[in-house]
Amino acid sequence: MLDLSDPDFQADPYPTLNAVREETPIFPMTGDDGIERWFLTRYDDIFRALRDRRLGRVPEPVMTREEAGLPPHRPDWQPYHDIEEWSLLMLEPPEHRRLRRLIHSSFTPKRIEGLRPRITEHADRLLTAARDRGTIDLLGDFAQPFSVFVIAELLGAPTDAWEHFLDWSHQIVKMYELDTTEEQAAAAARASAEFDAWCRGLISARRAEPTDDLISGLCFVETDDGTLSDDEIVSTIILLLNAGHEATVNTIGNGMTAALSTDGAYRQVANGTVAPRRAIEELIRFDPPLQLFERWVLDDDVEYGGHRLVKGEKLAMLFGAANRDPRHFDDPDEFDIGRGDNTHITFGGGIHVCIGAPLARLELSIALERMAALAPGLELSGTPVRKPAFVIHGYESVNVSV
Ligand code: HEM
């Protein structure tokens, strides 16, 4: 029904996603990895699935990897398995609850809001340089350095680590696609080992001499839930970078491409008709950077779209299909920059809901606000080219004249 590796589908998945969603709320499909998944297509079902405690990101609460039909961990990929071990995305309650609360108590609204002046300064620096050049790649010359800077500021990572950050992150996130090759997996394991060693160096430095950054916060947090171990902090730092960086870059690329290809949309922000804070919700909804999330069925007798699922089966939620569901959004295929509807599925929901959403929203609204101020005549220059992937959905480059 869907061919996730078809380049035409990857370039513009919406005609197909819309068609399958209207045809059926749920359908089975076996991927290149030989695993059968039940795909959910509609907003209400995906909204409910994200909050359904009988579904989990990992099978372990109710069965072993072997029982779930998963291959054993590969010893040569061990560095990758190590950094994933304490990732919030690989845990379910009670471990997830404990770790998430501890991270939350360091990742406070005050710490996020405190980043505003530095984020604004950095956006201005990048946009001023862009103006001098006339034409830039909005991804490579703005979104990537901007988003890495934000995470580096949040973590308190020294600037000389930034270029490694990008390489490490790009290699590790390849493991989240459904068709990862042997070569990509080996590169992800190497990147994991290097990133792990770098994190441990920084953690020892902060334990010896704390500063005002998030890593120091994670090193010294202490609540009724206890404290965080070095292994937990390493997994958390890597998750924050991987989960936080690329999704934000692709939201800027996908969202700005939509805004600049829709007549008058960007002008409404540039001339002050639509506030950046409102406009970003449509950038986030229209063409989400993460298109598919999976869940394991942890209980028998779970029903979706009239189909009964049993323990050990897998669900795949199509976020792009949900965000274009006409049962929930009026004229969902219209990019309406003033829509201001923040009920999109893009940040997930339930216990794994994006912990970085407030930071992502702050970054995106500062980016848009500074673009409107410093580059009010911004235009696409050429047609952006898609990256050949579906789950992590973005462009190779988005050339614009400033
Ligand atoms: C526009 C940008 C972003 C998008 C679209 C996004 C999307 C998501 C989604 C959909 C989930 C839930 C996954 C699931 O339920 O299976 C998630 C979780 C997460 N996100 Fe984000 N995210 C973004 C930015 C960020 C940023 C900036 C950070 C951190 C600095 C971040 C950190 C995380 C973490 C740590 C989790 C795991 C939470 C948990 O499992 O409890 N994200 N994100």
Side-chain angles (χ1 to χ4, degrees):
M1 214 163 189
L2 280 185
D3 178 0
L4 304 185
S5 29
D6 174 1
D8 289 339
F9 172 71
Q10 292 174 346
D12 180 10
Y14 298 103
T16 313
L17 292 178
N18 286 346
V20 285
R21 185 196 56 239
E22 294 315 307
E23 198 177 316
T24 177
I26 185 165
F27 66 95
M29 196 174 80
T30 303
D32 292 345
D33 52 7
I35 296 178
E36 184 185 64
R37 296 173 175 82
W38 287 90
F39 283 73
L40 291 183
T41 62
R42 295 189 182 159
Y43 181 95
D44 284 352
D45 286 331
I46 295 180
F47 184 91
R48 177 159 76 90
L50 286 163
R51 289 158 182 81
D52 190 336
R53 300 297 297 281
R54 300 165 306 166
L55 303 174
R57 282 202 45 110
V58 286
E60 278 90 342
V62 296
M63 67 196 111
T64 61
R65 287 180 62 83
E66 205 178 14
E67 284 162 352
L70 290 172
H73 279 168
R74 289 252 308 252
D76 50 335
W77 298 354
Q78 196 52 42
Y80 170 74
H81 300 311
D82 287 343
I83 61 154
E84 288 276 280
E85 185 171 358
W86 294 105
S87 157
L88 281 177
L89 287 173
M90 301 304 284
L91 298 173
E92 287 297 323
E95 292 82 5
H96 178 269
R97 192 178 312 118
R98 178 187 148 265
L99 203 61
R100 179 143 176 152
R101 280 206 206 133
L102 280 162
I103 297 168
H104 229 287
S105 56
S106 302
F107 202 178
T108 55
K110 185 163 163 253
R111 172 163 273 136
I112 295 166
E113 189 52 38
L115 296 170
R116 182 185 286 276
R118 294 275 293 148
I119 300 180
T120 307
E121 224 176 82
H122 197 63
D124 283 359
R125 196 167 30 241
L126 290 166
L127 289 167
T128 310
R131 227 172 25 186
D132 294 344
R133 286 173 50 192
T135 305
I136 59 154
D137 169 14
L138 192 63
L139 294 181
D141 298 323
F142 178 76
Q144 289 204 348
F146 177 66
S147 151
V148 172
F149 170 87
V150 174
I151 306 268
E153 274 289 306
L154 170 77
L155 293 173
T159 40
D160 58 2
W162 293 8
E163 56 187 278
H164 296 302
F165 263 22
L166 273 187
D167 279 349
W168 290 331
S169 169
H170 287 155
Q171 287 168 30
I172 296 169
V173 296
K174 285 282 173 230
M175 295 297 268
Y176 305 159
E177 294 292 337
L178 300 186
D179 51 3
T180 314
T181 63
E182 279 286 317
E183 235 170 46
Q184 287 170 333
R190 274 195 306 277
S192 304
E194 287 173 25
F195 204 170
D196 187 317
W198 178 84
C199 289
R200 285 181 200 279
L202 200 57
I203 293 168
S204 336
R206 293 294 184 269
R207 286 215 190 273
E209 212 173 310
T211 59
D212 193 25
D213 55 34
L214 180 66
I215 297 191
S216 303
L218 296 172
C219 286
F220 290 95
V221 66
E222 191 166 356
T223 70
D224 292 348
D225 295 303
T227 57
L228 288 168
S229 69
D230 285 7
D231 288 350
E232 290 167 341
I233 300 175
V234 170
S235 286
T236 302
I237 296 174
I238 296 179
L239 174 64
L240 289 175
L241 176 68
N242 289 345
H245 160 65
E246 198 142 4
T248 311
V249 172
N250 287 332
T251 304
I252 294 178
N254 297 355
M256 286 306 295
T257 299
L260 296 173
S261 6
T262 306
D263 240 2
Y266 180 65
R267 205 167 41 244
Q268 286 184 268
V269 179
N271 69 18
T273 313
V274 177
R277 205 174 52 261
R278 184 179 182 86
I280 58 159
E281 297 303 333
E282 186 68 344
L283 268 65
I284 298 168
R285 175 195 75 91
F286 189 72
D287 191 16
L290 301 168
Q291 288 278 339
L292 181 148
F293 282 91
E294 295 180 312
R295 291 295 187 265
W296 287 91
V297 179
L298 304 180
D299 203 0
D300 286 325
D301 222 6
V302 174
E303 198 180 300
Y304 277 89
H307 178 80
R308 184 175 293 181
L309 296 147
V310 293
K311 194 160 94 178
E313 288 192 303
K314 280 196 105 175
L315 269 183
M317 300 172 281
L318 290 167
F319 277 26
N323 277 358
R324 300 285 187 104
D325 189 340
R327 294 161 196 77
H328 187 82
F329 298 100
D330 290 336
D331 295 326
D333 292 321
E334 289 294 309
F335 179 83
D336 172 2
I337 200 149
R339 185 187 297 263
D341 187 336
N342 67 0
T343 64
H344 47 70
I345 289 286
T346 311
F347 288 119
I351 63 167
H352 289 285
V353 68
C354 181
I355 207 172
L359 177 62
R361 287 191 158 106
L362 179 71
E363 275 181 71
L364 293 167
S365 43
I366 292 175
L368 196 54
E369 180 197 306
R370 301 318 299 155
M371 279 184 218
L374 296 174
L378 198 69
E379 278 181 350
L380 282 181
S381 129
T383 310
V385 177
R386 277 286 176 203
K387 276 193 181 148
F390 171 63
V391 177
I392 298 178
H393 177 65
Y395 289 103
E396 295 280 5
S397 59
V398 176
N399 292 328
V400 289
S401 54
V402 185

